[in-house]
């Protein structure tokens, strides 16, 4: 079923939402004279499925350019002259172990961090700590408006859920701050997405145009959720470039997500980062 856009649904004019409906993609392949559409999926399997169906339908294999979100953002950062190397998961877990005091620090200047973490036996597990940080990043992208909304919502639910919710957010922000203090690189690939998002906005789309000069349309495929980092990237593209964006949600959660998109897009300055309550309240951006 196609996600039809109407004039009063709160969506930008160049954004079209679909629930499933990948057949529209193949229809465009039949009339394509040159690849001017980026087909992007966070999961490589979806890209392979599209490529397989193009072959089976005897459609041009080069009808689209395929990439993942990090890949398209790396090209934007290269065009903007910004670093593209980030800390990988293995090194990030090692940094978290040293923060927790479970592994020697790289230098005497990096003692165990005094982190406020959730209670329980798993609270000192580096993988659990990284999961908390990653999930908060996916929900908020560390944007000040979303951090403030999390705190507000947590204050409206019953005890002890309110304290637990605030505690998880505080833990994620504390870990992110400490990681940034311990490495000069962006602490995750998602941080590269944020940098690219800000570069697109700051250059009024010039960094995107240089990185992807022939891309007239970007299609996000196979989404069972729409993370805050991907939402902010879409937001920057719609604001600063003439690119059309099509988002294809999966059937199970698609209708709910389609209704949520206007609220997800409703933040100012996508890619902005705040890592403390004071920064969120003041709009101050943390360095990244």
């Amino acid at each position: 079923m196609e996600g039809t856009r109407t004039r009063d649904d709160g969506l930008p004019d160049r954004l079209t939402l679909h629930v499933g409906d990948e057949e529209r993609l193949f229809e465009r392949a039949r009339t394509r004279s040159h690849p001017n559409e980026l087909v992007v999926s966070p999961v490589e399997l979806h890209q392979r499925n599209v490529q397989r169906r193009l072959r089976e339908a005897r459609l041009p294999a080069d009808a689209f350019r395929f990439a993942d979100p990090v890949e398209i953002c790396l090209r934007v950062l290269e065009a903007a002259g910004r670093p593209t190397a980030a800390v990988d998961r293995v090194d990030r877990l090692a940094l978290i172990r040293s923060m927790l005091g479970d592994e020697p620090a790289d230098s005497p200047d990096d003692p165990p961090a005094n982190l406020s973490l959730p209670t329980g036996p798993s609270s000192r597990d580096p993988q659990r700590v990284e999961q908390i940080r990653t999930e908060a990043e996916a929900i908020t992208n560390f944007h000040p408006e979303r951090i403030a909304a999390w705190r507000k919502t947590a204050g409206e639910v019953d005890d002890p859920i309110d304290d637990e919710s605030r505690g998880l957010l505080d833990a994620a922000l504390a870990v992110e701050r400490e990681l940034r203090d311990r490495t000069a690189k962006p602490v995750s690939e998602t941080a590269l997405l944020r940098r690219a998002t800000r570069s697109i906005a700051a250059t009024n789309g010039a960094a995107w145009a240089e990185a992807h000069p022939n891309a007239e349309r970007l299609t996000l495929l196979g989404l069972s959720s729409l993370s805050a980092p991907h939402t902010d990237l879409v937001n920057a593209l719609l604001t600063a470039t003439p690119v059309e964006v099509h988002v294809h949600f999966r059937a199970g959660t698609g209708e709910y997500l389609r209704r949520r998109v206007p609220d997800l897009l409703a933040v100012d300055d996508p890619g902005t980062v705040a890592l403390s309550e004071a920064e969120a309240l003041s709009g101050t951006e943390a360095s990244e």
Side-chain angles (χ1 to χ4, degrees), residues 78-127:
E78 289 170 354
R82 302 199 63 186
T84 58
V87 177
D88 63 23
R89 177 177 168 81
V90 172
D91 289 341
R92 197 160 55 249
L93 289 173
L95 286 169
I96 292 173
R97 289 190 189 95
S98 71
M99 289 157 48
L100 298 174
D102 298 333
E103 189 171 287
D106 290 337
S107 77
D109 296 329
D110 290 336
N114 183 22
L115 297 176
S116 174
L117 297 172
T119 58
S122 65
S123 65
R124 307 292 297 183
D125 177 4
Q127 295 196 52

Side-chain angles (χ1 to χ4, degrees), residues 7-51:
R7 292 183 62 85
D8 60 350
D9 64 2
L11 295 177
D13 288 340
R14 286 178 288 105
L15 174 62
T16 304
L17 306 180
H18 309 263
V19 179
D21 198 35
E22 284 84 2
E23 287 303 322
R24 291 298 181 93
L25 187 65
F26 300 111
E27 289 174 11
R28 291 197 293 273
R30 291 183 176 90
T31 59
R32 191 61 43 84
S33 59
H34 63 279
N36 63 354
E37 181 166 348
L38 274 170
V39 176
V40 178
S41 172
V43 179
E44 186 179 353
L45 176 61
H46 295 301
Q47 295 181 28
R48 293 203 301 267
N49 286 340
V50 170
Q51 291 167 329

Side-chain angles (χ1 to χ4, degrees), residues 102 129 226:
D102 298 333
V129 172
L226 186 59

Side-chain angles (χ1 to χ4, degrees), residues 77 92 126 134 165 201:
L77 293 174
R92 197 160 55 249
T134 301
S165 298

